[in-house]
Amino acid sequence: MSTDTTVRPVSGYHRVIGAAASSAVGDGMRFAALPLLSTAVLHDAFQVSAVTAATTVPWLLFALPAGAYADRFERRLLMVLADLLRAAVLVLTVVLLAADRLTFWPLLTAAFLLGVGEVLFDCASFALLPSVVPKERLESANGRLFAVQTVGRDLLGQVVGGVLFTVGRAVPLLLDAVSFLVSAALLRGVRGPAPEPGTAPPAEKPRLLSDIREGVALVLRDPLLRALTVSAGVINAVYLGQIAVFVILVRDVLELPDSAYGALLAAGAIGGVVGGMVASRLTTAIGRVPALVGNLALMGVAGLAVGASDRVWVVTVAYCLTGFALMVWNVVAVSLRQTIIPDRMLGRATGVYRLFAWGTMPLGALVFGRVSTSAGPRAAFALGGVVTLLTCLPIAYALLRDSRVTDRRKTPEDAHE
């Protein structure tokens, strides 16, 4: 009986983990600092929400072509270029801040360009991972990768970012730029497979539009992929909408200092880390359908709890449960998608998925910003809870009807994951 407790790296898995960890720490600092910076510079709830939304708008504009390019070119190289782009944007943002020229439009532009880099990086990275990890370990590898990202971004990075912002507004942004450079250096050593040539040389490849159309058709004609995509769109719109107003909840409702904002975000990160580490075991124990639907319901209940209380401990526990549920959902859903989608289509399918899943996030941020302005941030959280609970029914129906969603049975190897 095997006693191996590690994910065996194939062609650079540990480098991908290291790059993800480095980038995640910097992202966490920026994630905590950017809303605080927006609040300090702009003094307007809607503009603060607009800056948050701008980081996700590129998913609407560039997800499909980015996914197609991830299938056409070397995925590792696209990830490196995305890291370098984001580092340059952050350095320029710091320069504008130092010159006292960081007003609404420059800040909005910087957030947009950071989102462009994220689109390129994520479309390539989600397509790259199955090629550097054995298929039988994919769910466990996704769980550990998500856990590393959560520790770096949502736990360590956000706590440090909130504290460093009080030291100097530019410090978290500069350290985030450094993290992208470290990530790019690590990724240069990854030896993932080159894009599949198909049956034609590069000069005879189909046009980009044809590639995009093929990816869209794959997702739209498959009932399970379609249901996962729509559900992810709802979940992400609610999540970013709540994140966009969370700083207002902490400051105006809970009446806590700026440094506490990062600490409360860390509560969600703690739940996320636990969720990432136990997602594979949980799926083995109860099956994919209960893991997906149950955690979706848990997210909805947590949102309602925040909307019903202004006590710090209730918000902290609810946010922790949200992080746990969201992480388990992501690990199981992403692993399922990677299993049923052919490798040559992973980039395009990821682009389509992210177009809908992340393209709804700006709408969520703007809608929740308006709800917060008119009725308060607690009302926004309550709205998100109701919408999330309503999403449970259609995704459960699609999962139960699809024969590919088989509940995992515990094997000797699973017992030692």
Side-chain angles (χ1 to χ4, degrees), residues 258-416:
D258 288 346
S259 58
Y261 171 69
L264 281 174
L265 289 178
I270 293 172
V273 171
V274 175
M277 298 307 294
V278 306
S280 181
R281 293 177 181 272
L282 182 63
T283 306
T284 299
I286 67 175
R288 284 193 175 99
V289 176
L292 287 169
V293 179
N295 282 283
L296 187 58
L298 182 58
M299 280 184 265
V301 172
L304 291 176
V306 175
S309 176
D310 58 359
R311 296 184 178 182
V312 175
W313 74 267
V314 172
V315 174
T316 303
V317 172
Y319 211 66
C320 182
L321 292 176
T322 297
F324 175 89
L326 184 62
M327 180 61 71
V328 174
W329 162 273
N330 279 329
V331 170
V332 179
V334 167
S335 300
L336 180 59
R337 289 175 50 251
Q338 290 171 333
T339 299
I340 65 180
I341 297 172
D343 180 75
R344 73 178 189 86
M345 296 288 294
L346 271 173
R348 280 166 284 178
T350 298
V352 176
Y353 180 82
R354 288 303 182 101
L355 171 65
F356 290 97
W358 286 57
T360 59
M361 293 173 77
L363 177 62
L366 294 175
V367 169
F368 279 57
R370 284 298 188 190
V371 171
S372 180
T373 299
S374 60
R378 289 171 57 192
F381 274 86
L383 173 64
V386 172
V387 171
T388 304
L389 287 174
L390 292 176
T391 308
C392 292
L393 294 177
I395 187 61
Y397 178 78
L399 289 167
L400 290 171
R401 284 177 57 88
D402 198 294
S403 61
R404 293 169 296 180
V405 188
T406 55
D407 287 348
R408 294 177 55 193
R409 302 299 181 209
K410 187 176 286 296
T411 65
E413 183 178 54
D414 289 328
H416 295 285

Side-chain angles (χ1 to χ4, degrees), residues 47-257:
Q47 288 186 346
V48 170
S49 297
V51 170
T52 303
T55 61
T56 60
V57 168
W59 284 106
L60 288 171
L61 302 179
F62 304 120
L64 295 181
Y69 280 119
D71 287 337
R72 283 175 166 241
F73 302 108
E74 188 179 354
R75 292 160 180 167
R76 174 192 61 87
L77 179 58
L78 287 179
M79 295 165 68
V80 171
L81 292 175
D83 277 336
L84 296 178
L85 169 65
R86 289 183 285 182
V89 170
L90 287 165
V91 170
L92 181 58
T93 301
V94 170
V95 171
L96 292 174
L97 179 62
D100 198 24
R101 293 182 176 273
L102 192 61
T103 56
F104 173 63
W105 289 108
L107 191 56
L108 193 72
T109 302
F112 177 81
L113 292 176
L114 289 171
V116 172
E118 183 181 29
V119 171
L120 292 172
F121 189 94
D122 279 10
C123 284
S125 63
F126 277 95
L128 177 66
L129 184 62
S131 68
V132 299
V133 176
K135 184 177 181 180
E136 66 274 11
R137 298 282 189 171
L138 186 57
E139 195 166 86
S140 179
N142 274 318
R144 295 177 189 184
L145 178 59
F146 283 136
V148 165
Q149 290 176 326
T150 302
V151 170
R153 181 189 62 233
D154 300 334
L155 185 57
L156 178 61
Q158 288 183 4
V159 172
V160 173
V163 173
L164 289 180
F165 183 81
T166 63
V167 176
R169 295 177 178 178
V171 175
L173 304 181
L174 286 174
L175 291 179
D176 191 23
V178 171
S179 75
F180 284 131
L181 295 177
V182 173
S183 173
L186 288 170
L187 288 170
R188 288 189 61 191
V190 175
R191 293 294 179 264
E196 293 185 15
T199 57
E204 300 176 17
K205 281 185 177 180
R207 293 183 177 180
L208 182 63
L209 186 59
S210 299
D211 281 351
I212 293 173
R213 210 160 30 225
E214 187 179 7
V216 172
L218 173 69
V219 174
L220 294 184
R221 70 169 175 254
D222 188 303
L224 178 57
L225 291 178
R226 189 169 63 243
L228 288 172
T229 300
V230 172
S231 298
V234 174
I235 293 168
N236 287 342
V238 169
Y239 180 70
L240 188 74
Q242 292 175 338
I243 284 291
V245 302
F246 191 54
V247 65
I248 301 172
L249 177 78
V250 172
R251 184 190 63 190
D252 297 344
V253 177
L254 302 180
E255 298 181 343
L256 297 174

